[in-house]
Amino acid sequence: MVDHMSDWLFGIAAALLGLGPKPGPTLTRFEYAETHMSSHFRIVLYTDREETARSASRAAFARIAELDAALSDYQPDSELARLCGQAGGPPAHVGADLFDVLARSRAMSERSGGAFDVTVGPVVRLWRRARRDRKMPAPERLAGARALVGYEALRLDPKARTVRLLKPGMKLDVGGIAKGYTDDEAIRVLKRHGIDRALVAGAGDIVVSGPPPGRDGWSIGIASLEPSRAAPSRFIALRDAAISTAGDAERYVEIDGRRYSHIIDPWTGLGVVDRCGVTVVARDGATADSLDTAVYVLGPERGLPLVEATQGAAALIIRSIDATVQIFESRRWREIPQAGPE
Ligand code: ADP
Ligand code: MG
């Protein structure tokens, strides 16, 4: 108690004398990368000890691998795949991670009026094949898949931690939220290891905690509509935030002169045809990742009000119609500090 008291008094005295805290140890930048969820995951962090950097990043990657095993849509034995195998049956007990991701997903479905919907799985599969064959899905197959879409048929019971998929054949696809959610969890693991200046990127979904030493934020490049053609044209400074981009720049299929995105409009069952790039900043990765997908489906006119209504969220939407490019910025987007390149 006495020790504690003297610390406290010293703290006050130091504050009165204008003495700052002791200058901290020199922080070094460490960077690691691994492949999970068929994506390139990158961790950048600052710490004074290499051993801490190594053990913290190892633990963060282990957490990412654990989430991959639960949420993967490609691994037939993932927890998500097993759950889908029980569609049409009684409520199934699931792990805390899968339940949490589905609860966050359902909340975004409700907030976006169904634009974001993880029950699009059967339709996403048809479009995956369409991309491979460059052929529209057959109308009867599309109709069959569409009949299985609708988040109301995804029932969650938080007390029992069970999930029930009401219709046989339903398939969940968490590809629109999993990477952001996973980044959040990795940042949390790093914090538990004492690292509070870090960046975790799962492909284009990025979550950051405190900034690099001496900086106001992490410098994040904003890609133009077609990233393959141009380097980022501007940079923003972010701390304790997440950023995510949904766009048709990389994954789409062109059939009969129309370009269909890998993001599905749940109401039509078609890949979104608007040529758009949506970048969302939010307080956490799961929100940023799911919100960009929702806004992409809704389009700028209906999507921006959803961004404004989301605490701490901001968006930049670039839409190109024929040869004209339209730019939409949410209110908070204009308040984000600019930065120079990293
Ligand atoms: P990516 O970074 O992989 O482009 P996005 O956040 O843009 O991820 O989400 C796209 C993925 O989300 C698709 O590959 C698909 O798995 C899933 N998806 C497609 N349409 C929807 C939708 N309307 N709601 C929720 N998820 C969707
Ligand atoms: Mg997304």
Side-chain angles (χ1 to χ4, degrees):
M1 180 66 199
V2 172
D3 276 359
H4 180 80
M5 205 52 192
S6 60
D7 272 1
W8 186 68
L9 286 173
F10 176 76
I12 291 189
L16 289 175
L17 291 169
L19 299 172
K22 274 195 305 191
T26 315
L27 299 177
T28 308
R29 183 183 201 270
F30 295 90
E31 182 164 348
Y32 306 90
E34 283 185 11
T35 300
H36 297 277
M37 305 186 168
S38 339
S39 302
H40 183 72
F41 271 84
R42 197 161 68 96
I43 295 178
V44 185
L45 59 85
Y46 286 86
T47 174
D48 58 335
R49 290 184 56 226
E50 182 167 6
E51 187 40 44
T52 309
R54 261 210 230 115
S55 56
S57 62
R58 214 179 293 134
F61 281 126
R63 179 77 180 116
I64 293 170
E66 182 179 47
L67 286 166
D68 193 2
L71 304 175
S72 173
D73 163 47
Y74 291 95
Q75 299 175 29
D77 59 341
S78 73
E79 197 190 357
L80 182 72
R82 279 184 274 124
L83 171 65
C84 295
Q86 297 177 61
H93 193 75
V94 298
D97 291 329
L98 180 53
F99 190 89
D100 200 21
V101 168
L102 294 180
R104 301 281 305 258
S105 299
R106 225 201 112 111
M108 184 55 79
S109 294
E110 282 163 13
R111 301 200 50 235
S112 65
F116 182 87
D117 190 335
V118 293
T119 67
V120 290
V123 179
V124 168
R125 281 181 183 214
L126 282 186
W127 280 95
R128 244 183 231 154
R129 196 167 315 140
R131 273 209 302 283
R132 214 173 41 224
D133 305 344
R134 291 169 188 269
K135 276 217 301 266
M136 287 292 274
E140 64 282 2
R141 300 199 71 170
L142 195 55
R146 276 181 64 194
L148 297 171
V149 177
Y151 70 88
E152 295 86 353
L154 163 64
R155 298 290 166 83
L156 303 173
D157 180 343
K159 279 216 189 84
R161 214 213 280 153
T162 56
V163 179
R164 186 167 180 208
L165 305 175
L166 295 187
K167 302 176 194 169
M170 277 178 80
K171 287 209 162 44
L172 305 180
D173 178 334
V174 295
I177 190 169
K179 289 205 290 283
Y181 183 91
T182 299
D183 291 344
D184 287 336
E185 286 301 303
I187 284 283
R188 205 162 284 149
V189 169
L190 295 174
K191 279 190 180 151
R192 242 181 272 135
H193 281 73
I195 290 174
D196 52 11
R197 296 173 185 275
L199 173 151
V200 177
D205 293 292
I206 301 172
V207 178
V208 298
S209 53
R215 305 275 287 270
D216 294 332
W218 293 85
S219 175
I220 312 280
I222 306 300
S224 55
L225 191 57
E226 288 174 70
S228 51
R229 291 200 192 157
S233 46
R234 46 187 294 212
F235 293 82
I236 58 174
L238 282 189
R239 58 183 297 173
D240 301 307
I243 183 165
S244 170
T245 295
D248 66 359
E250 279 148 38
R251 275 186 290 158
Y252 62 89
V253 57
E254 201 166 303
I255 302 165
D256 294 336
R258 299 196 93 184
R259 188 159 155 163
Y260 300 92
S261 162
H262 71 294
I263 295 176
I264 304 299
D265 178 333
W267 297 291
T268 63
L270 301 180
V272 175
V273 285
D274 250 14
R275 298 229 24 223
C276 239
V278 179
T279 299
V280 167
V281 168
R283 291 193 175 152
D284 63 81
T287 302
D289 195 5
S290 54
L291 187 55
D292 70 0
T293 308
V295 172
Y296 187 87
V297 170
L298 291 170
E301 291 80 6
R302 290 187 298 153
L304 277 179
L306 177 60
V307 174
E308 303 293 11
T310 305
Q311 271 203 350
L316 168 73
I317 307 173
I318 302 174
R319 178 166 67 185
S320 77
I321 299 181
D322 302 324
T324 49
V325 173
Q326 300 173 317
I327 294 178
F328 302 81
E329 294 177 330
S330 76
R331 192 164 38 79
R332 277 179 229 103
W333 181 266
R334 292 176 220 123
E335 294 162 7
I336 300 174
Q338 303 281 318
E342 184 74 26

